[in-house]
Protein backbone atom coordinates (compact mmCIF):
# COMPACT_ATOMS: atom_id res chain seq x y z
CA UNK A 1 0.00 0.00 0.00
CA UNK A 2 2.84 2.35 0.84
CA UNK A 3 6.20 2.75 2.53
CA UNK A 4 7.76 5.39 4.76
CA UNK A 5 11.57 5.21 4.80
CA UNK A 6 11.63 8.03 7.35
CA UNK A 7 10.35 5.66 10.05
CA UNK A 8 11.05 2.29 8.35
CA UNK A 9 7.34 1.42 8.36
CA UNK A 10 5.35 -0.12 5.49
CA UNK A 11 1.76 -1.28 4.98
CA UNK A 12 1.11 -4.49 3.04
CA UNK A 13 -2.33 -5.52 1.79
CA UNK A 14 -2.97 -9.28 1.82
CA UNK A 15 -5.42 -10.34 -0.87
CA UNK A 16 -7.77 -13.31 -0.52
CA UNK A 17 -6.37 -14.53 2.79
CA UNK A 18 -9.71 -14.88 4.61
CA UNK A 19 -9.99 -14.19 8.32
CA UNK A 20 -6.43 -13.84 9.57
CA UNK A 21 -5.66 -13.70 13.30
CA UNK A 22 -4.98 -10.16 14.49
CA UNK A 23 -2.61 -8.97 17.21
CA UNK A 24 -4.23 -6.23 19.30
CA UNK A 25 -2.30 -2.98 19.54
CA UNK A 26 -1.16 -1.60 22.87
CA UNK A 27 -0.14 1.95 23.79
CA UNK A 28 3.61 2.50 23.51
CA UNK A 29 3.29 5.88 25.26
CA UNK A 30 2.21 4.07 28.44
CA UNK A 31 5.12 1.62 28.70
CA UNK A 32 7.58 2.00 31.56
CA UNK A 33 11.20 0.96 31.94
CA UNK A 34 11.14 -2.41 33.70
CA UNK A 35 7.87 -3.59 32.12
CA UNK A 36 7.89 -7.12 30.74
CA UNK A 37 8.51 -7.38 27.00
CA UNK A 38 8.16 -10.35 24.64
CA UNK A 39 9.63 -10.50 21.13
CA UNK A 40 8.33 -12.84 18.43
CA UNK A 41 9.93 -13.41 15.05
CA UNK A 42 11.81 -15.54 12.58
CA UNK A 43 15.18 -15.57 14.33
CA UNK A 44 18.19 -15.98 12.05
CA UNK A 45 15.79 -16.46 9.14
CA UNK A 46 15.17 -20.10 9.99
CA UNK A 47 13.75 -20.32 13.54
CA UNK A 48 10.16 -19.32 12.80
CA UNK A 49 7.92 -18.38 15.72
CA UNK A 50 10.71 -17.83 18.23
CA UNK A 51 9.56 -16.06 21.42
CA UNK A 52 12.02 -14.37 23.76
CA UNK A 53 11.31 -12.57 27.03
CA UNK A 54 12.88 -9.56 28.71
CA UNK A 55 12.00 -6.07 29.89
CA UNK A 56 11.80 -2.56 28.51
CA UNK A 57 15.37 -1.37 29.05
CA UNK A 58 14.97 2.23 27.85
CA UNK A 59 12.73 4.51 25.83
CA UNK A 60 13.32 7.25 23.30
CA UNK A 61 16.58 5.93 21.89
CA UNK A 62 17.81 8.10 19.00
CA UNK A 63 20.83 8.65 16.76
CA UNK A 64 21.30 4.93 16.17
CA UNK A 65 23.53 3.81 13.31
CA UNK A 66 21.51 0.87 11.97
CA UNK A 67 22.99 -1.57 9.50
CA UNK A 68 21.20 -1.30 6.16
CA UNK A 69 20.21 2.34 6.70
CA UNK A 70 18.90 4.24 9.71
CA UNK A 71 15.48 5.93 9.53
CA UNK A 72 15.44 9.71 9.82
CA UNK A 73 12.89 9.77 12.65
CA UNK A 74 13.99 7.66 15.61
CA UNK A 75 12.33 7.12 18.97
CA UNK A 76 13.15 3.48 19.61
CA UNK A 77 12.15 1.24 22.48
CA UNK A 78 15.19 -0.64 23.84
CA UNK A 79 14.72 -4.14 25.20
CA UNK A 80 16.82 -7.05 26.41
CA UNK A 81 14.32 -9.56 25.02
CA UNK A 82 16.61 -11.25 22.49
CA UNK A 83 16.19 -9.82 19.00
CA UNK A 84 18.27 -11.52 16.33
CA UNK A 85 18.70 -11.08 12.59
CA UNK A 86 15.42 -12.28 11.08
CA UNK A 87 13.31 -10.87 13.93
CA UNK A 88 12.76 -7.58 12.09
CA UNK A 89 9.08 -6.92 11.48
CA UNK A 90 7.94 -9.17 14.31
CA UNK A 91 6.02 -7.71 17.23
CA UNK A 92 7.32 -6.60 20.59
CA UNK A 93 4.51 -7.44 23.01
CA UNK A 94 3.54 -6.45 26.53
CA UNK A 95 2.51 -9.05 29.11
CA UNK A 96 -1.12 -8.82 27.87
CA UNK A 97 -0.12 -9.90 24.38
CA UNK A 98 -0.63 -6.42 22.88
CA UNK A 99 1.86 -5.16 20.30
CA UNK A 100 3.80 -2.20 21.72
CA UNK A 101 6.49 -2.13 19.03
CA UNK A 102 7.90 -3.54 15.80
CA UNK A 103 11.25 -5.27 16.24
CA UNK A 104 13.67 -3.55 13.92
CA UNK A 105 17.34 -3.59 14.94
CA UNK A 106 20.01 -5.18 17.10
CA UNK A 107 23.42 -4.11 18.32
CA UNK A 108 25.56 -7.07 17.23
CA UNK A 109 28.48 -5.94 19.38
CA UNK A 110 26.34 -5.87 22.53
CA UNK A 111 24.34 -8.42 24.45
CA UNK A 112 20.70 -7.91 25.32
CA UNK A 113 20.43 -4.66 23.34
CA UNK A 114 17.65 -4.64 20.76
CA UNK A 115 15.36 -1.95 19.42
CA UNK A 116 11.75 -1.65 18.32
CA UNK A 117 9.70 1.06 16.61
CA UNK A 118 6.98 2.23 19.06
CA UNK A 119 3.58 0.96 17.92
CA UNK A 120 1.97 4.40 18.28
CA UNK A 121 4.35 5.78 15.65
CA UNK A 122 3.75 2.81 13.36
CA UNK A 123 -0.02 3.11 13.80
CA UNK A 124 0.00 6.82 12.98
CA UNK A 125 2.11 6.23 9.88
CA UNK A 126 0.01 3.26 8.76
CA UNK A 127 -3.22 5.29 8.93
CA UNK A 128 -1.74 7.86 6.54
CA UNK A 129 -0.38 5.18 4.19
CA UNK A 130 -3.75 3.42 4.07
CA UNK A 131 -5.64 6.66 3.49
CA UNK A 132 -3.40 8.28 0.86
CA UNK A 133 -0.49 5.93 0.11
CA UNK A 134 2.01 8.49 1.41
CA UNK A 135 3.05 10.30 4.57
CA UNK A 136 2.78 14.08 4.97
CA UNK A 137 4.78 15.66 7.79
CA UNK A 138 4.55 18.96 9.59
CA UNK A 139 7.27 21.55 8.97
CA UNK A 140 8.33 24.44 11.19
CA UNK A 141 11.35 26.03 9.55
CA UNK A 142 14.00 26.26 12.26
CA UNK A 143 17.44 24.78 12.81
CA UNK A 144 17.07 22.93 16.14
CA UNK A 145 20.14 22.48 18.34
CA UNK A 146 20.77 20.83 21.68
CA UNK A 147 20.59 23.08 24.75
CA UNK A 148 23.79 22.13 26.57
CA UNK A 149 24.23 22.70 30.33
CA UNK A 150 27.01 25.17 29.52
CA UNK A 151 24.72 27.29 27.34
CA UNK A 152 21.96 27.14 29.92
CA UNK A 153 24.38 28.36 32.61
CA UNK A 154 25.65 31.20 30.42
CA UNK A 155 22.12 32.41 29.71
CA UNK A 156 20.92 32.19 33.29
CA UNK A 157 18.47 29.34 32.72
CA UNK A 158 20.30 26.56 34.56
CA UNK A 159 18.22 23.38 34.86
CA UNK A 160 15.97 24.29 31.94
CA UNK A 161 15.14 21.72 29.30
CA UNK A 162 14.32 22.29 25.65
CA UNK A 163 15.67 22.76 22.16
CA UNK A 164 17.68 25.77 21.06
CA UNK A 165 16.61 27.67 17.94
CA UNK A 166 19.87 27.93 15.99
CA UNK A 167 18.34 29.48 12.87
CA UNK A 168 15.00 30.56 11.41
CA UNK A 169 14.26 30.17 7.69
CA UNK A 170 12.37 32.94 5.92
CA UNK A 171 8.79 32.50 4.72
CA UNK A 172 8.13 29.56 7.04
CA UNK A 173 5.67 28.90 9.87
CA UNK A 174 8.50 29.65 12.32
CA UNK A 175 9.29 33.07 10.84
CA UNK A 176 5.61 33.97 10.62
CA UNK A 177 5.12 33.00 14.27
CA UNK A 178 8.02 35.19 15.37
CA UNK A 179 10.63 32.64 16.44
CA UNK A 180 14.07 34.12 17.02
CA UNK A 181 17.60 32.72 17.14
CA UNK A 182 18.54 31.75 20.74
CA UNK A 183 14.91 31.03 21.68
CA UNK A 184 14.59 27.81 23.71
CA UNK A 185 11.49 25.72 22.91
CA UNK A 186 10.39 23.92 26.08
CA UNK A 187 6.89 22.67 25.10
CA UNK A 188 5.34 21.94 21.72
CA UNK A 189 1.61 21.29 21.37
CA UNK A 190 1.31 20.57 25.09
CA UNK A 191 4.20 18.08 25.13
CA UNK A 192 7.54 18.74 26.84
CA UNK A 193 10.56 19.03 24.56
CA UNK A 194 13.64 17.21 25.85
CA UNK A 195 15.96 16.79 22.87
CA UNK A 196 16.30 17.53 19.17
CA UNK A 197 15.22 14.11 17.90
CA UNK A 198 12.09 14.10 20.06
CA UNK A 199 11.29 17.64 18.91
CA UNK A 200 11.72 16.76 15.22
CA UNK A 201 9.36 13.83 15.68
CA UNK A 202 6.75 16.01 17.42
CA UNK A 203 6.85 18.52 14.57
CA UNK A 204 6.72 15.83 11.89
CA UNK A 205 3.68 14.17 13.50
CA UNK A 206 1.74 17.45 13.60
CA UNK A 207 -0.95 17.71 10.89
CA UNK A 208 -0.34 20.42 8.31
CA UNK A 209 -2.24 23.67 9.04
CA UNK A 210 -2.87 22.75 12.68
CA UNK A 211 -2.49 25.67 15.10
CA UNK A 212 -0.04 24.67 17.82
CA UNK A 213 0.74 26.30 21.16
CA UNK A 214 4.49 26.57 21.81
CA UNK A 215 6.17 27.58 25.08
CA UNK A 216 9.44 29.45 24.56
CA UNK A 217 12.16 30.79 26.85
CA UNK A 218 13.47 34.11 25.54
CA UNK A 219 16.04 36.15 27.45
CA UNK A 220 15.36 33.99 30.52
CA UNK A 221 11.57 34.59 30.46
Amino acid sequence: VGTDPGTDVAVIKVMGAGDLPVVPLGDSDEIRIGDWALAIGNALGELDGTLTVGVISAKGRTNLAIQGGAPSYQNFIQTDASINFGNSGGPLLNIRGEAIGINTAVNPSGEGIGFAIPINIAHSISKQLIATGKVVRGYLGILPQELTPELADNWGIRGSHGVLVGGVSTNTPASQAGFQVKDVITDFDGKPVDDVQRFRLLVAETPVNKRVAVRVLRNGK
Side-chain angles (χ1 to χ4, degrees), residues 169-206:
S169 302
T170 57
N171 299 319
T172 62
S175 63
Q176 294 168 17
F179 283 94
Q180 298 178 11
V181 174
K182 291 190 177 181
D183 282 348
V184 176
I185 300 172
T186 62
D187 293 84
F188 185 86
D189 200 14
K191 301 179 179 67
V193 174
D194 300 312
D195 58 59
V196 169
Q197 284 284 354
R198 171 66 174 159
F199 173 71
R200 291 181 67 240
L201 196 59
L202 286 174
V203 173
E205 290 176 341
T206 304

Side-chain angles (χ1 to χ4, degrees), residues 52-88:
T52 55
V53 177
V55 297
I56 304 297
S57 305
K59 302 191 299 181
R61 292 299 197 200
T62 59
N63 298 315
L64 301 183
I66 296 174
Q67 185 176 354
S72 303
Y73 298 94
Q74 299 186 16
N75 189 30
F76 288 113
I77 300 168
Q78 181 180 324
T79 180
D80 65 345
S82 295
I83 296 175
N84 294 281
F85 293 103
N87 277 113
S88 296

Side-chain angles (χ1 to χ4, degrees), residues 53-196:
V53 177
V55 297
I56 304 297
S57 305
K59 302 191 299 181
R61 292 299 197 200
T62 59
N63 298 315
L64 301 183
I66 296 174
Q67 185 176 354
S72 303
Y73 298 94
Q74 299 186 16
N75 189 30
F76 288 113
I77 300 168
Q78 181 180 324
T79 180
D80 65 345
S82 295
I83 296 175
N84 294 281
F85 293 103
N87 277 113
S88 296
L92 184 70
L93 307 167
N94 61 22
I95 202 167
R96 294 182 296 276
E98 299 166 336
I100 54 173
I102 300 174
N103 302 327
T104 190
V106 297
N107 186 330
S109 61
E111 185 173 339
I113 303 177
F115 303 97
I117 301 167
I119 203 65
N120 288 12
I121 292 178
H123 189 215
S124 173
I125 295 299
S126 70
K127 286 193 296 184
Q128 289 194 55
L129 291 175
I130 290 169
T132 66
K134 62 180 181 180
V135 174
V136 177
R137 291 188 165 88
Y139 171 71
L140 191 58
I142 70 166
L143 174 64
Q145 296 179 344
E146 296 290 348
L147 177 65
T148 64
E150 292 78 13
L151 283 175
D153 281 349
N154 290 339
W155 294 347
I157 53 174
R158 176 181 294 185
S160 298
H161 66 86
V163 165
L164 175 65
V165 177
V168 181
S169 302
T170 57
N171 299 319
T172 62
S175 63
Q176 294 168 17
F179 283 94
Q180 298 178 11
V181 174
K182 291 190 177 181
D183 282 348
V184 176
I185 300 172
T186 62
D187 293 84
F188 185 86
D189 200 14
K191 301 179 179 67
V193 174
D194 300 312
D195 58 59
V196 169

